[in-house]
Every structure is written in C-alpha cells, then in structure tokens.
Short mmCIF file of all heavy atoms in Angstrom, two decimals:
data_model
loop_
_atom_site.label_atom_id
_atom_site.label_comp_id
_atom_site.label_asym_id
_atom_site.label_seq_id
_atom_site.Cartn_x
_atom_site.Cartn_y
_atom_site.Cartn_z
N THR A 1 -191.78 -60.80 37.35
CA THR A 1 -190.63 -61.24 36.56
C THR A 1 -189.75 -60.09 36.08
O THR A 1 -188.84 -60.30 35.28
CB THR A 1 -191.09 -62.04 35.33
OG1 THR A 1 -191.87 -61.19 34.47
CG2 THR A 1 -191.93 -63.24 35.74
N ASN A 2 -190.05 -58.88 36.55
CA ASN A 2 -189.28 -57.71 36.13
C ASN A 2 -189.29 -57.56 34.60
O ASN A 2 -188.27 -57.30 33.98
CB ASN A 2 -187.84 -57.79 36.64
CG ASN A 2 -187.12 -56.44 36.60
OD1 ASN A 2 -187.75 -55.39 36.65
ND2 ASN A 2 -185.81 -56.48 36.49
N ASN A 3 -190.45 -57.75 34.01
CA ASN A 3 -190.68 -57.59 32.56
C ASN A 3 -189.87 -58.57 31.71
O ASN A 3 -189.59 -58.28 30.54
CB ASN A 3 -190.38 -56.15 32.12
CG ASN A 3 -191.32 -55.15 32.74
OD1 ASN A 3 -192.53 -55.36 32.76
ND2 ASN A 3 -190.78 -54.06 33.27
N ASN A 4 -189.54 -59.72 32.25
CA ASN A 4 -188.74 -60.69 31.50
C ASN A 4 -189.58 -61.74 30.79
O ASN A 4 -189.07 -62.82 30.46
CB ASN A 4 -187.73 -61.37 32.44
CG ASN A 4 -186.54 -60.48 32.72
OD1 ASN A 4 -186.06 -59.79 31.83
ND2 ASN A 4 -186.08 -60.47 33.95
N VAL A 5 -190.85 -61.45 30.56
CA VAL A 5 -191.72 -62.32 29.78
C VAL A 5 -192.38 -61.47 28.69
O VAL A 5 -192.82 -60.35 28.96
CB VAL A 5 -192.80 -62.98 30.66
CG1 VAL A 5 -193.77 -63.80 29.81
CG2 VAL A 5 -192.15 -63.87 31.73
N LEU A 6 -192.42 -61.99 27.47
CA LEU A 6 -193.07 -61.29 26.37
C LEU A 6 -194.49 -61.84 26.23
O LEU A 6 -194.67 -63.05 26.08
CB LEU A 6 -192.29 -61.52 25.07
CG LEU A 6 -192.69 -60.70 23.84
CD1 LEU A 6 -192.60 -59.21 24.11
CD2 LEU A 6 -191.79 -61.08 22.66
N ILE A 7 -195.50 -60.96 26.32
CA ILE A 7 -196.90 -61.39 26.27
C ILE A 7 -197.51 -60.84 24.99
O ILE A 7 -197.65 -59.64 24.82
CB ILE A 7 -197.67 -60.89 27.51
CG1 ILE A 7 -197.01 -61.43 28.79
CG2 ILE A 7 -199.13 -61.34 27.44
CD1 ILE A 7 -197.60 -60.89 30.07
N LEU A 8 -197.87 -61.75 24.08
CA LEU A 8 -198.34 -61.38 22.75
C LEU A 8 -199.75 -61.90 22.51
O LEU A 8 -200.07 -63.03 22.88
CB LEU A 8 -197.41 -61.96 21.66
CG LEU A 8 -195.93 -61.62 21.77
CD1 LEU A 8 -195.14 -62.40 20.72
CD2 LEU A 8 -195.70 -60.12 21.59
N LYS A 9 -200.56 -61.08 21.87
CA LYS A 9 -201.93 -61.48 21.55
C LYS A 9 -202.18 -61.27 20.06
O LYS A 9 -201.90 -60.20 19.52
CB LYS A 9 -202.93 -60.67 22.37
CG LYS A 9 -204.37 -61.11 22.19
CD LYS A 9 -205.29 -60.38 23.15
CE LYS A 9 -205.11 -60.84 24.57
NZ LYS A 9 -205.51 -62.26 24.76
N TYR A 10 -202.67 -62.32 19.41
CA TYR A 10 -203.06 -62.25 18.00
C TYR A 10 -204.58 -62.36 17.91
O TYR A 10 -205.18 -63.28 18.46
CB TYR A 10 -202.42 -63.39 17.20
CG TYR A 10 -200.95 -63.22 16.91
CD1 TYR A 10 -200.00 -63.51 17.87
CD2 TYR A 10 -200.52 -62.78 15.65
CE1 TYR A 10 -198.64 -63.37 17.59
CE2 TYR A 10 -199.17 -62.65 15.37
CZ TYR A 10 -198.23 -62.94 16.35
OH TYR A 10 -196.90 -62.80 16.08
N ILE A 11 -205.19 -61.41 17.18
CA ILE A 11 -206.64 -61.42 16.99
C ILE A 11 -206.92 -61.42 15.49
O ILE A 11 -206.37 -60.61 14.75
CB ILE A 11 -207.30 -60.18 17.62
CG1 ILE A 11 -206.90 -60.03 19.08
CG2 ILE A 11 -208.82 -60.27 17.50
CD1 ILE A 11 -207.37 -58.72 19.71
N SER A 12 -207.75 -62.36 15.06
CA SER A 12 -208.15 -62.42 13.65
C SER A 12 -209.66 -62.15 13.56
O SER A 12 -210.47 -63.08 13.49
CB SER A 12 -207.80 -63.79 13.06
OG SER A 12 -208.16 -63.83 11.69
N PRO A 13 -210.05 -60.87 13.58
CA PRO A 13 -211.48 -60.52 13.65
C PRO A 13 -212.12 -60.45 12.26
O PRO A 13 -211.43 -60.31 11.25
CB PRO A 13 -211.45 -59.14 14.30
CG PRO A 13 -210.18 -58.53 13.77
CD PRO A 13 -209.20 -59.67 13.62
N LYS A 14 -213.45 -60.52 12.26
CA LYS A 14 -214.15 -60.30 11.00
C LYS A 14 -214.06 -58.85 10.59
O LYS A 14 -213.95 -58.52 9.41
CB LYS A 14 -215.63 -60.72 11.15
CG LYS A 14 -215.83 -62.22 11.28
CD LYS A 14 -217.31 -62.57 11.35
CE LYS A 14 -217.51 -64.07 11.45
NZ LYS A 14 -218.96 -64.42 11.53
N ARG A 15 -214.14 -57.96 11.58
CA ARG A 15 -214.06 -56.52 11.32
C ARG A 15 -212.96 -55.91 12.19
O ARG A 15 -213.02 -56.00 13.43
CB ARG A 15 -215.41 -55.85 11.59
CG ARG A 15 -216.47 -56.20 10.56
CD ARG A 15 -217.80 -55.55 10.89
NE ARG A 15 -218.42 -56.21 12.02
CZ ARG A 15 -219.17 -57.31 11.92
NH1 ARG A 15 -219.39 -57.87 10.75
NH2 ARG A 15 -219.69 -57.86 13.00
N GLN A 16 -212.00 -55.30 11.56
CA GLN A 16 -210.86 -54.70 12.26
C GLN A 16 -211.33 -53.63 13.23
O GLN A 16 -210.77 -53.49 14.34
CB GLN A 16 -209.88 -54.10 11.26
CG GLN A 16 -208.64 -53.49 11.90
CD GLN A 16 -207.66 -52.96 10.86
OE1 GLN A 16 -207.94 -52.99 9.66
NE2 GLN A 16 -206.51 -52.49 11.30
N SER A 17 -212.35 -52.87 12.87
CA SER A 17 -212.82 -51.76 13.70
C SER A 17 -213.31 -52.26 15.06
O SER A 17 -213.12 -51.59 16.08
CB SER A 17 -213.93 -50.99 12.99
OG SER A 17 -215.02 -51.86 12.69
N GLU A 18 -213.94 -53.43 15.10
CA GLU A 18 -214.43 -53.98 16.37
C GLU A 18 -213.28 -54.32 17.30
O GLU A 18 -213.34 -54.06 18.51
CB GLU A 18 -215.28 -55.23 16.11
CG GLU A 18 -216.63 -54.94 15.48
CD GLU A 18 -217.46 -56.20 15.33
OE1 GLU A 18 -216.92 -57.31 15.61
OE2 GLU A 18 -218.64 -56.10 14.96
N ALA A 19 -212.23 -54.91 16.74
CA ALA A 19 -211.07 -55.26 17.56
C ALA A 19 -210.38 -54.00 18.08
O ALA A 19 -209.99 -53.93 19.25
CB ALA A 19 -210.09 -56.11 16.75
N LEU A 20 -210.22 -53.00 17.22
CA LEU A 20 -209.60 -51.75 17.64
C LEU A 20 -210.40 -51.08 18.75
O LEU A 20 -209.83 -50.59 19.73
CB LEU A 20 -209.46 -50.80 16.44
CG LEU A 20 -208.33 -51.09 15.46
CD1 LEU A 20 -208.49 -50.23 14.21
CD2 LEU A 20 -206.98 -50.84 16.12
N PHE A 21 -211.71 -51.05 18.59
CA PHE A 21 -212.58 -50.44 19.60
C PHE A 21 -212.42 -51.14 20.94
O PHE A 21 -212.33 -50.49 21.99
CB PHE A 21 -214.05 -50.50 19.14
CG PHE A 21 -215.01 -49.91 20.12
CD1 PHE A 21 -215.22 -48.54 20.19
CD2 PHE A 21 -215.72 -50.74 21.00
CE1 PHE A 21 -216.11 -48.00 21.11
CE2 PHE A 21 -216.61 -50.22 21.92
CZ PHE A 21 -216.81 -48.84 21.97
N GLU A 22 -212.37 -52.45 20.93
CA GLU A 22 -212.25 -53.21 22.18
C GLU A 22 -210.90 -52.95 22.84
O GLU A 22 -210.80 -52.80 24.07
CB GLU A 22 -212.42 -54.71 21.89
CG GLU A 22 -212.59 -55.57 23.13
CD GLU A 22 -213.88 -55.27 23.86
OE1 GLU A 22 -214.86 -54.83 23.22
OE2 GLU A 22 -213.90 -55.46 25.10
N ILE A 23 -209.83 -52.88 22.06
CA ILE A 23 -208.49 -52.62 22.60
C ILE A 23 -208.42 -51.24 23.24
O ILE A 23 -207.90 -51.08 24.36
CB ILE A 23 -207.43 -52.76 21.49
CG1 ILE A 23 -207.31 -54.23 21.05
CG2 ILE A 23 -206.07 -52.26 21.95
CD1 ILE A 23 -206.52 -54.42 19.77
N ILE A 24 -208.94 -50.25 22.55
CA ILE A 24 -208.86 -48.86 23.04
C ILE A 24 -209.74 -48.67 24.26
O ILE A 24 -209.32 -48.10 25.28
CB ILE A 24 -209.26 -47.87 21.93
CG1 ILE A 24 -208.28 -47.97 20.74
CG2 ILE A 24 -209.26 -46.45 22.48
CD1 ILE A 24 -206.83 -47.75 21.10
N THR A 25 -210.98 -49.15 24.21
CA THR A 25 -211.89 -48.93 25.34
C THR A 25 -211.49 -49.73 26.57
O THR A 25 -211.82 -49.35 27.69
CB THR A 25 -213.34 -49.29 24.95
OG1 THR A 25 -213.38 -50.64 24.47
CG2 THR A 25 -213.85 -48.34 23.87
N SER A 26 -210.77 -50.83 26.37
CA SER A 26 -210.28 -51.62 27.51
C SER A 26 -208.95 -51.10 28.03
O SER A 26 -208.43 -51.62 29.02
CB SER A 26 -210.13 -53.09 27.10
OG SER A 26 -211.35 -53.65 26.71
N ASP A 27 -208.40 -50.08 27.35
CA ASP A 27 -207.09 -49.53 27.73
C ASP A 27 -206.05 -50.65 27.80
O ASP A 27 -205.25 -50.74 28.74
CB ASP A 27 -207.19 -48.80 29.07
CG ASP A 27 -205.98 -47.92 29.35
OD1 ASP A 27 -205.33 -47.47 28.39
OD2 ASP A 27 -205.66 -47.69 30.53
N TYR A 28 -206.08 -51.51 26.80
CA TYR A 28 -205.18 -52.66 26.75
C TYR A 28 -203.89 -52.26 26.04
O TYR A 28 -203.86 -52.12 24.81
CB TYR A 28 -205.85 -53.84 26.04
CG TYR A 28 -205.08 -55.12 26.13
CD1 TYR A 28 -205.14 -55.92 27.28
CD2 TYR A 28 -204.27 -55.55 25.09
CE1 TYR A 28 -204.44 -57.09 27.38
CE2 TYR A 28 -203.56 -56.73 25.18
CZ TYR A 28 -203.64 -57.50 26.33
OH TYR A 28 -202.92 -58.67 26.41
N ASN A 29 -202.83 -52.06 26.82
CA ASN A 29 -201.58 -51.52 26.27
C ASN A 29 -200.47 -52.56 26.19
O ASN A 29 -199.31 -52.27 26.47
CB ASN A 29 -201.12 -50.33 27.13
CG ASN A 29 -202.09 -49.18 27.07
OD1 ASN A 29 -202.58 -48.82 26.00
ND2 ASN A 29 -202.41 -48.61 28.22
N TYR A 30 -200.86 -53.77 25.78
CA TYR A 30 -199.88 -54.84 25.61
C TYR A 30 -199.86 -55.26 24.15
O TYR A 30 -200.87 -55.13 23.45
CB TYR A 30 -200.22 -56.02 26.53
CG TYR A 30 -200.22 -55.64 27.99
CD1 TYR A 30 -201.38 -55.21 28.63
CD2 TYR A 30 -199.04 -55.66 28.74
CE1 TYR A 30 -201.38 -54.84 29.95
CE2 TYR A 30 -199.03 -55.30 30.07
CZ TYR A 30 -200.20 -54.89 30.68
OH TYR A 30 -200.19 -54.51 32.00
N PRO A 31 -198.73 -55.76 23.64
CA PRO A 31 -198.60 -56.04 22.20
C PRO A 31 -199.72 -56.92 21.65
O PRO A 31 -199.90 -58.05 22.09
CB PRO A 31 -197.24 -56.74 22.10
CG PRO A 31 -196.46 -56.25 23.29
CD PRO A 31 -197.48 -56.07 24.38
#
C-alpha cells in the first residue's frame, strides 16, 4: 500500500517492563 495504512497496537500489561522487553527483543518497530 506504499505505507498508506496506519497500524497501531495498544497493550495494557500488568507490568510495563515485560511489554517493553518483548517489543525490544522482537525488534518490533511499529507504533
């Protein structure tokens, strides 16, 4: 789509550190 779609993910974790660790280790670079 030539970047014409906005892909957003909302996470409501019990512990913020767990979510951050998963995002960084998965190299997930989307909003």
Side-chain angles (χ1 to χ4, degrees):
T1 63
N2 197 26
N3 295 314
N4 281 321
V5 176
L6 189 58
I7 302 174
L8 305 174
K9 185 174 288 295
Y10 285 80
I11 307 172
S12 181
K14 290 183 179 180
R15 289 178 287 275
Q16 182 177 4
S17 59
E18 289 184 353
L20 283 170
F21 179 82
E22 191 66 28
I23 291 168
I24 298 304
T25 56
S26 299
D27 195 26
Y28 188 81
N29 296 315
Y30 300 92

